[in-house]
Amino acid sequence: MVKLHVKRGDESLFLYDTTVEKQVDEIIKEVTVIYNGRLKIRRICDEMEELAKHGTLLPPNIMGLTDEQVEELKLVDEWGEKCVPSGGWTFNKDPIGRRNGKQPNEHMQDVIKRTTEEAKAVVSKKQIQADVCLTLKMVQNALDILRGAVMIVYPMNLPPHDVIRHELENTEDLSGMQASLEVIEVTQTQLWFSGKEMYRDKKLADYVGRNEKTKVIVKLQKQGQGAPGREPVVSEEERKQMMLHAYRRQEELKVQDMTLNVIIK
């Protein structure tokens, strides 16, 4: 199997296992879904960490208002009263006024904490160092355990306006957010190898040859952004080793010169 080290710009993302006979179009589709899935998992985990601290998201008509304004306008978080965490809650005010402050008990907080850590570990860049390839199934499993944790802590489910629920139901609206700039539509995705765009109607073998036991770097790019920067001929680690060798050699020459001067004198 060919191992693709997928990067975007200079950032390493994940490893992907495939074969030289696979169509580039199919590889692009799978790699893009995995890439977007990683982003979704990160977004959900970030929100679930806030959920564990400050409870469910306030309705749009209350979010950001002061307690005095809510009281004056006689607004009520009806969903917050229905969607309460299992085992009860304690009040922990959200300093930015996004969530209702109904913090789950310590046991339920721990369920969220352990689950988000597990999900983040699945899509962590440390998997590259461990030589673990990321698959669609692994991404889906991570999403499933996050969904399961939400149902454990909130058996009545989250309010319909909560962003975590939207993410898990694939109805999220990222327009106007930084996250929207990161997501890439499958139809707009390009893969580049060695400074060349990999065309969808070709096979991987047309670019990397027929050796199934190879590992190459490919770059994920959004259509219209032009060619990504090429990989340096010498890696950062190799550059450091070369500098270290040059420094040691320089020190050795200094010692040799000092020894020679002593002998001459």
Side-chain angles (χ1 to χ4, degrees):
M1 298 293 282
V2 177
K3 197 168 288 185
L4 302 184
H5 181 164
V6 182
K7 301 180 73 173
R8 188 167 187 196
D10 294 327
E11 181 186 7
S12 291
L13 301 176
F14 55 89
L15 299 179
Y16 172 80
D17 217 8
T18 187
T19 171
V20 295
E21 292 301 320
K22 202 163 190 176
Q23 201 83 10
V24 170
D25 180 63
E26 191 176 348
I27 293 174
I28 288 177
K29 289 176 180 176
E30 290 188 7
V31 166
T32 305
V33 173
I34 292 172
Y35 167 76
N36 288 332
R38 289 177 73 252
L39 295 176
K40 178 185 280 286
I41 289 167
R42 278 170 35 197
R43 293 194 303 269
I44 293 173
C45 287
D46 289 345
E47 288 291 347
M48 284 182 65
E49 288 167 3
E50 291 302 307
L51 179 71
K53 295 176 186 175
H54 306 296
T56 60
L57 207 67
L58 288 166
N61 64 328
I62 296 180
M63 191 183 297
L65 298 180
T66 64
D67 293 340
E68 293 76 14
Q69 290 171 323
V70 172
E71 185 176 352
E72 182 181 345
L73 295 170
K74 298 180 180 179
L75 300 175
V76 178
D77 179 14
E78 295 180 359
W79 284 103
E81 295 178 0
K82 297 175 184 177
C83 305
V84 293
S86 179
W89 54 273
T90 54
F91 187 69
N92 183 23
K93 187 177 179 60
D94 184 357
I96 61 175
R98 289 182 73 238
R99 297 185 171 273
N100 64 14
K102 295 181 178 180
Q103 182 182 42
N105 65 31
E106 289 188 9
H107 176 63
M108 293 295 114
Q109 290 177 48
D110 188 54
V111 169
I112 293 175
K113 181 175 184 291
R114 284 187 286 106
T115 307
T116 54
E117 287 177 350
E118 183 180 348
K120 286 192 288 188
V122 171
V123 297
S124 169
K125 294 176 185 178
K126 291 181 180 179
Q127 297 281 49
I128 297 174
Q129 300 168 6
D131 206 34
V132 175
C133 292
L134 196 56
T135 65
L136 291 171
K137 185 176 181 179
M138 290 167 67
V139 169
Q140 187 57 56
N141 286 344
L143 289 169
D144 287 342
I145 64 170
L146 292 172
R147 182 179 292 104
V150 168
M151 295 309 297
I152 289 172
V153 181
Y154 291 88
M156 298 295 291
N157 207 343
L158 297 172
H161 55 266
D162 199 294
V163 293
I164 297 171
R165 180 167 172 176
H166 282 297
E167 289 279 6
L168 292 172
E169 294 177 353
N170 295 317
T171 57
E172 70 273 17
D173 181 9
L174 303 177
S175 56
M177 301 171 61
Q178 177 63 32
S180 67
L181 302 177
E182 299 176 331
V183 173
I184 306 179
E185 295 293 332
V186 172
T187 56
Q188 297 180 345
T189 305
Q190 295 176 335
L191 270 187
W192 291 70
F193 168 68
S194 192
K196 297 179 181 178
E197 182 184 351
M198 302 170 71
Y199 293 108
R200 291 174 179 263
D201 59 347
K202 300 284 188 180
K203 288 186 177 181
L204 183 60
D206 295 322
Y207 297 96
V208 304
R210 298 200 165 274
N211 183 4
E212 290 282 7
K213 296 182 180 180
T214 188
K215 182 177 180 180
V216 299
I217 293 175
V218 296
K219 294 203 170 184
L220 199 63
Q221 191 81 335
K222 186 179 288 188
Q223 189 175 347
Q225 291 184 331
R230 298 191 65 165
E231 285 295 297
V233 177
V234 179
S235 69
E236 182 64 18
E237 184 59 33
E238 290 172 332
R239 187 184 68 80
K240 289 179 181 178
Q241 291 299 324
M242 290 171 63
M243 290 179 65
L244 180 61
H245 175 75
Y247 172 77
R248 287 174 176 169
R249 181 58 180 160
Q250 187 178 35
E251 293 301 304
E252 289 173 0
L253 291 174
K254 286 181 181 178
V255 171
Q256 290 176 6
D257 287 343
M258 291 174 61
T259 303
L260 183 60
N261 288 335
V262 170
I263 293 173
I264 292 175
K265 291 179 181 179

